[in-house]
Coordinates of all heavy atoms in Angstrom, one line a residue:
Q16 N 1.5 16.5 -16.6 CA 0.8 15.6 -17.5 C 1.1 16.1 -19.0 O 0.9 17.3 -19.2 CB -0.7 15.6 -17.2 CG -1.0 14.9 -15.9 CD -2.5 14.9 -15.6 OE1 -3.2 15.4 -16.4 NE2 -2.9 14.2 -14.5
K17 N 1.4 15.2 -19.8 CA 1.6 15.5 -21.2 C 0.3 15.6 -21.9 O -0.5 14.6 -21.9 CB 2.6 14.5 -21.9 CG 3.9 14.5 -21.3 CD 4.8 13.5 -22.0 CE 6.2 13.5 -21.5 NZ 7.1 12.6 -22.2
Q18 N 0.1 16.7 -22.5 CA -1.2 16.9 -23.3 C -0.9 16.8 -24.8 O 0.1 17.3 -25.3 CB -1.8 18.2 -22.9 CG -2.1 18.4 -21.5 CD -2.7 19.7 -21.2 OE1 -2.8 20.6 -22.0 NE2 -3.2 19.9 -19.9
G19 N -1.8 16.2 -25.5 CA -1.7 16.1 -26.9 C -2.1 17.4 -27.6 O -2.5 18.4 -26.9
I20 N -1.9 17.5 -28.9 CA -2.3 18.7 -29.7 C -3.8 18.8 -29.8 O -4.4 17.8 -30.3 CB -1.6 18.7 -31.0 CG1 0.0 18.7 -30.8 CG2 -2.0 20.0 -31.8 CD1 0.7 18.6 -32.1
D21 N -4.3 19.9 -29.4 CA -5.8 20.1 -29.5 C -6.1 20.7 -30.9 O -6.0 21.9 -31.1 CB -6.3 21.0 -28.4 CG -7.8 21.0 -28.3 OD1 -8.5 20.5 -29.3 OD2 -8.4 21.5 -27.3
K24 N -9.0 23.2 -31.1 CA -8.6 24.5 -30.6 C -7.9 25.3 -31.6 O -8.1 26.5 -31.8 CB -7.8 24.4 -29.3 CG -7.6 25.7 -28.6 CD -6.9 25.5 -27.3 CE -6.7 26.8 -26.5 NZ -6.0 26.6 -25.2
L25 N -6.9 24.7 -32.3 CA -6.2 25.3 -33.4 C -7.1 25.7 -34.5 O -7.0 26.8 -35.1 CB -5.1 24.4 -33.9 CG -4.0 24.0 -32.9 CD1 -3.0 23.1 -33.6 CD2 -3.3 25.3 -32.4
L28 N -9.0 28.8 -33.5 CA -8.1 30.0 -33.5 C -8.0 30.5 -35.0 O -8.0 31.7 -35.3 CB -6.8 29.7 -33.0 CG -6.7 29.5 -31.4 CD1 -5.2 29.1 -31.0 CD2 -7.0 30.9 -30.8
A352 N 2.3 29.7 -42.8 CA 3.1 29.3 -41.6 C 3.4 30.5 -40.8 O 3.3 30.5 -39.5 CB 4.3 28.6 -42.1
S355 N 0.3 31.7 -38.9 CA -0.1 30.8 -37.9 C 0.8 31.0 -36.6 O 0.3 31.0 -35.5 CB 0.0 29.3 -38.4 OG -0.8 29.1 -39.5
V356 N 2.1 31.1 -36.8 CA 3.0 31.3 -35.7 C 2.7 32.6 -35.0 O 2.7 32.7 -33.8 CB 4.5 31.3 -36.2 CG1 5.4 31.8 -35.1 CG2 4.9 30.0 -36.7
Y357 N 2.4 33.7 -35.8 CA 2.0 35.0 -35.2 C 0.7 34.8 -34.3 O 0.7 35.4 -33.2 CB 1.8 36.0 -36.3 CG 1.2 37.3 -35.8 CD1 2.0 38.2 -35.0 CD2 -0.1 37.6 -36.0 CE1 1.4 39.4 -34.6 CE2 -0.7 38.8 -35.5 CZ 0.1 39.7 -34.8 OH -0.4 40.9 -34.4
I358 N -0.3 34.1 -34.8 CA -1.6 34.0 -34.1 C -1.3 33.2 -32.8 O -1.8 33.5 -31.7 CB -2.6 33.3 -35.0 CG1 -3.0 34.3 -36.1 CG2 -3.8 32.9 -34.2 CD1 -3.9 33.7 -37.2
L359 N -0.6 32.1 -32.9 CA -0.3 31.3 -31.7 C 0.5 32.1 -30.7 O 0.2 32.0 -29.5 CB 0.5 30.0 -32.1 CG -0.3 29.0 -32.9 CD1 0.6 27.9 -33.4 CD2 -1.5 28.4 -32.2
H360 N 1.4 32.9 -31.1 CA 2.1 33.7 -30.2 C 1.2 34.8 -29.5 O 1.3 35.0 -28.3 CB 3.3 34.4 -30.9 CG 4.1 35.3 -30.0 ND1 4.9 34.9 -29.0 CD2 4.1 36.7 -30.0 CE1 5.5 35.9 -28.4 NE2 5.0 37.1 -29.0
K361 N 0.4 35.3 -30.3 CA -0.5 36.4 -29.8 C -1.5 35.8 -28.8 O -1.9 36.5 -27.8 CB -1.3 37.0 -31.0 CG -2.2 38.2 -30.6 CD -2.9 38.7 -31.8 CE -3.8 39.9 -31.4 NZ -4.5 40.5 -32.6
E362 N -2.0 34.6 -29.0 CA -2.9 33.9 -28.1 C -2.3 33.1 -27.0 O -2.9 32.4 -26.3 CB -3.8 33.0 -29.0 CG -4.7 33.7 -30.0 CD -5.8 34.5 -29.4 OE1 -6.1 34.3 -28.2 OE2 -6.3 35.4 -30.1
N363 N -0.9 33.3 -26.9 CA -0.2 32.6 -25.8 C -0.3 31.1 -25.9 O -0.4 30.4 -24.9 CB -0.6 33.0 -24.4 CG -0.3 34.5 -24.2 OD1 0.8 35.0 -24.6 ND2 -1.2 35.2 -23.5
E364 N -0.4 30.6 -27.2 CA -0.5 29.1 -27.4 C 0.7 28.5 -28.0 O 0.8 27.3 -28.2 CB -1.7 28.8 -28.3 CG -3.1 29.2 -27.7 CD -3.4 28.3 -26.5 OE1 -2.9 27.2 -26.4 OE2 -4.3 28.7 -25.7
L365 N 1.7 29.4 -28.3 CA 2.9 28.9 -29.0 C 3.8 28.0 -28.1 O 4.2 26.9 -28.4 CB 3.7 30.0 -29.6 CG 4.9 29.6 -30.5 CD1 4.5 28.8 -31.7 CD2 5.6 30.9 -31.0
K366 N 4.0 28.6 -26.9 CA 4.9 27.9 -25.9 C 4.3 26.6 -25.5 O 5.0 25.5 -25.4 CB 5.2 28.8 -24.8 CG 6.2 29.9 -25.1 CD 6.5 30.7 -23.9 CE 7.5 31.9 -24.3 NZ 7.9 32.7 -23.1
P367 N 3.0 26.5 -25.1 CA 2.4 25.2 -24.7 C 2.4 24.2 -25.9 O 2.6 23.0 -25.7 CB 1.0 25.6 -24.3 CG 1.0 27.0 -23.9 CD 2.1 27.6 -24.8
L368 N 2.3 24.7 -27.1 CA 2.3 23.8 -28.2 C 3.7 23.2 -28.4 O 3.8 22.1 -28.8 CB 1.8 24.6 -29.5 CG 1.7 23.7 -30.8 CD1 0.6 22.7 -30.6 CD2 1.4 24.6 -32.0
L369 N 4.7 24.0 -28.2 CA 6.1 23.5 -28.3 C 6.6 22.8 -27.1 O 7.7 22.3 -27.1 CB 7.0 24.7 -28.6 CG 6.7 25.4 -30.0 CD1 7.7 26.6 -30.1 CD2 6.9 24.5 -31.1
G370 N 5.7 22.7 -26.1 CA 6.1 22.0 -24.8 C 7.1 22.8 -24.0 O 7.8 22.3 -23.1
L371 N 7.0 24.2 -24.1 CA 7.8 25.1 -23.3 C 7.0 25.6 -22.2 O 5.8 25.9 -22.3 CB 8.4 26.2 -24.2 CG 9.2 25.8 -25.4 CD1 9.6 27.0 -26.2 CD2 10.5 25.0 -24.9
S372 N 7.6 25.9 -21.0 CA 6.8 26.4 -19.9 C 6.7 27.9 -20.0 O 7.6 28.5 -20.6 CB 7.6 26.0 -18.6 OG 8.9 26.5 -18.6

Side-chain angles (χ1 to χ4, degrees):
Q16 296 181 355
K17 295 183 179 179
Q18 298 180 354
I20 299 176
D21 191 347
K24 187 175 183 179
L25 296 178
L28 287 176
S355 300
V356 172
Y357 170 76
I358 292 174
L359 291 174
H360 176 72
K361 183 178 180 180
E362 298 291 340
N363 295 322
E364 294 292 340
L365 185 59
K366 291 183 178 180
L368 183 64
L369 298 176
L371 302 176
S372 56

